[in-house]
Amino acid sequence: DHSNGSFNLKALSGGSGYKFGVLAKIVNYMKTRHQRGDTHPLTLEEILDETQHLDIGLKQKQWLMSEALVNNPKIEVVDGKYAFKPKYNLKDKKALLRLLDKHDQRGLGGILLEDIEEGLPNAQKAIKALGDQIIFVNRPDKKKILFYNDKSCQFTVDEEFQKLWRSIPVDSMDEEKIEEYLKRQGISSMQETGPKKIAPIQRRKKPASQKKRRFKTHNDHLAGVLKDYSDVVPGKQ
């Protein structure tokens, strides 16, 4: 029902749409419980009970156990049970700070806030507790990135050096040259934390219309002398 945002799985009559609807609901539930701190794995029966899907058929259960949950990138199997598998599995605010510090030291840049929220239980509370140890940066696509605030890099630069820095023109350096330089230095943050560029569609150029060639006639002096036989039927004289 698009009017209220609800999704009725019962309306999908047991086909592939129903199966994948159940799978999506399970993965979303496992993510939600992980975010609130319930990170211990569950059996399939426990998952179906908590998502109110105990009435699904034997074939659907077998599909979930042998294919869907096992091959899902967001689910991991632990001793026959199932748990949510975030991109960054973080236990607390200290683990988050260590991860950001590690990324900073390796020149990997920051980490998307949505990836942190996915893997850190009670993420907003932990982020608020870290305070100014973290820096937020908004990308052009409005997604937020977290950076480690390395306070050892905070120092006063002499005004004379600041003027020299600002006086250097960079108009000749386009984005491709900057990215090429960063690659040589082993820095990949621009590509990995920035929005992906969509290559423009290459349209095929229409071939230029060929001009009709004009052939010069050399029998102008015989005009009116030669007879036209185009109307004569073959075999008749």
Side-chain angles (χ1 to χ4, degrees):
D1 186 353
H2 295 288
S3 61
N4 57 18
S6 65
F7 180 63
N8 186 6
L9 292 173
K10 299 281 186 181
L12 299 173
S13 57
S16 60
Y18 175 78
K19 290 198 306 181
F20 285 103
V22 171
L23 174 62
K25 190 173 182 181
I26 288 175
V27 173
N28 187 58
Y29 170 74
M30 297 298 284
K31 175 182 176 181
T32 301
R33 67 183 293 273
H34 182 96
Q35 289 174 328
R36 66 171 182 248
D38 296 333
T39 58
H40 61 278
L42 299 175
T43 65
L44 180 59
E45 292 297 325
E46 290 172 333
I47 293 172
L48 295 176
D49 183 24
E50 296 189 22
T51 56
Q52 299 179 356
H53 283 102
L54 283 172
D55 58 342
I56 68 170
L58 185 60
K59 287 185 178 180
Q60 282 83 2
K61 286 184 181 180
Q62 187 64 31
W63 175 73
L64 286 170
M65 291 176 63
S66 62
E67 295 182 43
L69 293 177
V70 174
N71 297 324
N72 193 287
K74 289 299 179 183
I75 299 294
E76 64 178 340
V77 183
V78 182
D79 297 328
K81 297 182 179 182
Y82 305 93
F84 184 69
K85 185 181 179 181
K87 186 174 182 179
Y88 302 105
N89 196 359
L90 305 168
K91 293 182 179 180
D92 50 30
K93 63 182 182 181
K94 292 181 179 179
L96 170 59
L97 199 62
R98 285 195 299 269
L99 176 65
L100 292 173
D101 186 13
K102 189 176 181 180
H103 266 240
D104 180 66
Q105 290 181 21
R106 292 184 175 181
L108 299 175
I111 300 175
L112 282 170
L113 174 61
E114 60 188 41
D115 289 339
I116 297 299
E117 290 176 333
E118 179 189 72
L120 176 61
N122 305 308
Q124 288 299 328
K125 183 178 179 180
I127 291 171
K128 187 177 180 180
L130 290 173
D132 64 352
Q133 297 181 77
I134 293 176
I135 297 175
F136 283 91
V137 175
N138 291 323
R139 285 197 332 195
D141 59 0
K142 297 183 179 179
K143 289 187 177 183
K144 289 185 177 181
I145 306 177
L146 272 67
F147 288 85
Y148 175 66
N149 186 13
D150 189 356
K151 295 183 180 180
S152 65
C153 296
Q154 297 177 2
F155 51 87
T156 304
V157 180
D158 190 82
E159 183 66 26
E160 183 179 351
F161 286 103
Q162 292 185 37
K163 289 179 180 179
L164 288 171
W165 175 269
R166 297 188 184 107
S167 66
I168 299 174
V170 291
D171 295 339
S172 60
M173 294 290 291
D174 56 19
E175 289 187 7
E176 291 184 2
K177 289 182 180 179
I178 294 173
E179 289 182 6
E180 184 181 346
Y181 174 79
L182 290 173
K183 283 181 180 179
R184 290 200 303 268
Q185 303 303 317
I187 301 173
S188 58
S189 59
M190 283 188 66
Q191 291 93 358
E192 299 198 0
T193 59
K196 294 182 179 179
K197 296 180 181 179
I198 300 175
I201 299 173
Q202 297 285 342
R203 294 188 177 181
R204 294 181 62 183
K205 294 182 179 180
K206 294 182 179 180
S209 58
Q210 295 182 353
K211 295 182 180 179
K212 293 183 178 180
R213 295 182 180 180
R214 294 183 178 180
F215 296 92
K216 186 176 180 181
T217 58
H218 300 280
N219 298 325
D220 294 338
H221 63 286
L222 298 176
V225 177
L226 297 176
K227 188 175 181 180
D228 184 11
Y229 290 93
S230 60
D231 296 330
V232 177
V233 179
K236 291 184 181 182
Q237 295 183 354

